Amino acid sequence: MKIYSYEGSKNISGERIYQARTSRHMTQQELAAKMQVEGVVIEREAISKIETGARLVTDYELVAFARVFRVSLNWLTEME
């Protein structure tokens, strides 16, 4: 499967995920643990890559991020 990029990034939600995480004073490791509670096995390194746009975010990961942060999917995918 070829992974495409948009304006040099493999996702449009990484910046919002970073904003939500840092505004809650949460580490990437803490976020990974909360994601695992939601049923998504993800490592700290993957979160780092998501936040920098170096990794694709799957639909089920987006749902879990929205649940963890208590935000809408729309907010996570809004482009500024």
Side-chain angles (χ1 to χ4, degrees):
M1 177 172 94
K2 180 167 172 71
I3 304 297
Y4 297 95
S5 65
Y6 177 78
E7 294 183 2
S9 182
K10 291 188 173 143
N11 69 65
I12 60 171
S13 58
E15 191 173 314
R16 288 291 176 109
I17 290 167
Y18 174 79
Q19 288 174 354
R21 181 181 63 77
T22 57
S23 71
R24 290 162 176 78
H25 307 287
M26 186 184 302
T27 67
Q28 290 174 339
Q29 189 62 47
E30 290 169 335
L31 177 53
K34 289 180 182 294
M35 291 288 285
Q36 290 179 15
V37 169
E38 290 294 326
V40 176
V41 178
I42 190 168
E43 302 296 327
R44 186 209 61 80
E45 295 82 9
I47 291 173
S48 177
K49 288 180 180 180
I50 288 169
E51 290 179 348
T52 61
R55 180 183 176 279
L56 178 82
V57 182
T58 64
D59 52 1
Y60 63 86
E61 289 170 335
L62 272 178
V63 170
F65 281 123
R67 286 182 183 157
V68 166
F69 295 132
R70 293 190 170 116
V71 298
S72 69
L73 288 170
N74 190 49
W75 184 84
L76 282 176
T77 57
E78 282 178 344
M79 297 172 54
E80 297 182 52

